[in-house]
Amino acid sequence: MNILRFITAGSVDDGKSTLIGRLLYDSNAVMEDQLEAIKASSRKNDDGTIDLAILTDGLKAEREQGITIDVAYKYFNTDKRKFIIADAPGHIQYTRNMVTGASNVDLAIILIDARKGVIEQTKRHSYITSLLGIKNIVVCINKMDLVGYSEQVFNDIVSAYKSFASKLKVKEIIFIPISAINGDNIVSGSTHMPWYKGKYLLDYLENVEVFTDAKQESPRFTVQWIIRPQTRELHDYRGYAGRIISGVYKKGDKIIVQPSCITSTIKKIETFDGEFEEAFAPMSVTIHLEDNIDISRGDMITPVSQQPPVTREIEADICWMDSKPLEVGSKYLFRHNSSGVKSIVKEVLYKTNVNTLEKVENDITVNLNDISRIIIRTANPVAVDEYDKNRVNGGFILVDEKSNLTVAAGMIAANVE
């Protein structure tokens, strides 16, 4: 059974907590003790029904304790699929948390309040979703019960969103009219909106084919650990452990180690379960080479025929996460996969207006939650891909070495020197 990872995004009070609660409750993913607790709770909706937003209180509590960088996760499954929900706050000041949560998902659900239509936060989250390479978006137009389940309201919002989204790099956008509080079109179809002929939300989530397949991307393997037991029994053992982040590796492949450019051949691929003739993303493996060569943590092993660009200068889009504005000339640790290298921000090219998606070139002061295109120079060469071609090997973070805070999440853009 495969896993679908998705994030729910939307502005404050768009009904995100109620939607998650409804998904869990109506798909029978609520534990007995939780069920008894919410039934006994004094928190009710206006009509006396259970306030399903209570089910996400645990996630909020986790956030308040600082767990998982203000993003909390919920797991559930149906007969067809397993699901991981990334739940991030909706406030604009927590946009950085939305970036964190969306960086590792397959699909995004964007909630829109039917009474308010497409607002700035809708556009901001949609743009970030596109920037992070998520190709599937479900736009749930919520609170349809408060607009009389109006088809015209739904159509007007769909039209407004499509106009904005025409500039986004998303392969599939579908629109579902819902009422999370009443359960319309969540885990079953709605009798209140007979004019809607599309799928209800859970049916779509169970069957959607997401546009990501790490197996099809160029092979990338980053060394996390060099295994050398140096015992009597394993005197000559030398393996390179790590996770295959994309593609397929086979015994006998001719490989090159970046950035040293030393070549060799794969002699053996091991996992906890034994030896394999081939292995693929996202397997964690130990690779053995025919030659004893110098390899360090953070080095990348790739096929000779499919090498990534190796560069010291990178053009990238970033979401700024620090309360202090970005200063050109500042030095940060460039963390990429399992490697870390000193770097400097050489230039801010422009910021992006999330409402219009236009470039802002006359004001390049980068503040908290701004999205900007910058140029970074690293102290040593790094083997990177463009984010559009490989999400894992095209992503990075910048870390302030003095405070150890993550100040930016970045996506490597088209131009790599």
Side-chain angles (χ1 to χ4, degrees), residues 169-184:
K169 297 178 182 177
V170 179
K171 288 189 176 180
E172 181 174 278
I173 302 175
I174 73 153
F175 299 87
I176 303 177
I178 67 169
S179 169
I181 196 168
N182 292 332
D184 291 295

Side-chain angles (χ1 to χ4, degrees), residues 126-134 317-319 371 387-388 411:
S126 299
Y127 176 57
I128 291 172
T129 296
S130 168
L131 197 62
L132 289 169
I134 299 169
D317 295 305
I318 62 163
C319 178
I371 296 169
Y387 192 85
D388 281 349
M411 288 70 66

Side-chain angles (χ1 to χ4, degrees), residues 127-329:
Y127 176 57
I128 291 172
T129 296
S130 168
L131 197 62
L132 289 169
I134 299 169
K135 303 302 183 187
N136 299 73
I137 290 180
V138 184
V139 179
C140 285
I141 300 171
N142 191 23
K143 305 191 182 183
M144 289 296 294
D145 53 304
L146 299 182
V147 295
Y149 295 104
S150 167
E151 182 179 10
Q152 187 61 50
V153 170
F154 175 75
N155 289 337
D156 289 346
I157 294 174
V158 169
S159 178
Y161 189 90
K162 282 184 174 177
S163 176
F164 165 76
S166 62
K167 302 173 185 175
L168 301 179
K169 297 178 182 177
V170 179
K171 288 189 176 180
E172 181 174 278
I173 302 175
I174 73 153
F175 299 87
I176 303 177
I178 67 169
S179 169
I181 196 168
N182 292 332
D184 291 295
N185 285 333
I186 307 296
V187 300
S188 60
S190 170
T191 58
H192 295 112
M193 293 174 277
W195 45 265
Y196 175 70
K197 304 301 181 186
K199 290 184 175 182
Y200 53 89
L201 180 59
L202 185 60
D203 185 25
Y204 178 78
L205 295 176
E206 284 182 328
N207 295 289
V208 62
E209 182 178 348
V210 293
F211 295 102
T212 59
D213 190 347
K215 292 182 188 176
Q216 305 303 320
E217 297 172 342
S218 298
R220 303 287 183 255
F221 174 85
T222 305
V223 176
Q224 295 178 336
W225 192 257
I226 293 92
I227 302 176
R228 290 201 63 197
Q230 294 184 310
T231 60
R232 181 182 298 275
E233 295 79 11
L234 299 169
H235 181 75
D236 297 322
Y237 188 100
R238 182 192 290 265
Y240 306 101
R243 186 171 69 90
I244 298 174
I245 60 178
S246 59
V248 179
Y249 284 79
K250 297 177 182 175
K251 184 178 173 181
D253 281 350
K254 303 291 184 186
I255 61 89
I256 185 168
V257 181
Q258 299 289 4
S260 63
C261 293
I262 301 173
T263 58
S264 185
T265 302
I266 294 178
K267 181 172 68 177
K268 185 167 63 176
I269 300 174
E270 284 184 322
T271 73
F272 182 78
D273 296 318
E275 286 189 33
F276 286 75
E277 289 295 313
E278 67 175 41
F280 48 82
M283 292 174 67
S284 294
V285 301
T286 299
I287 289 178
H288 297 255
L289 302 178
E290 295 284 0
D291 309 284
N292 287 329
I293 56 181
D294 183 18
I295 295 180
S296 303
R297 173 182 166 82
D299 285 355
M300 181 168 287
I301 297 175
T302 69
V304 172
S305 58
Q306 299 180 71
Q307 302 175 45
V310 179
T311 181
R312 293 180 61 189
E313 194 151 301
I314 293 162
E315 186 172 325
D317 295 305
I318 62 163
C319 178
W320 190 246
M321 296 178 165
D322 197 358
S323 56
K324 294 187 299 183
L326 169 64
E327 292 183 10
V328 173

Side-chain angles (χ1 to χ4, degrees), residues 316-352:
D317 295 305
I318 62 163
C319 178
W320 190 246
M321 296 178 165
D322 197 358
S323 56
K324 294 187 299 183
L326 169 64
E327 292 183 10
V328 173
S330 296
K331 298 177 181 177
Y332 300 102
L333 185 65
F334 179 88
R335 294 207 63 90
H336 174 251
N337 293 323
S338 54
S339 68
V341 57
K342 293 181 183 296
S343 70
I344 185 170
V345 177
K346 283 186 62 179
E347 186 179 357
V348 176
L349 299 176
Y350 59 82
K351 295 196 297 187
T352 299

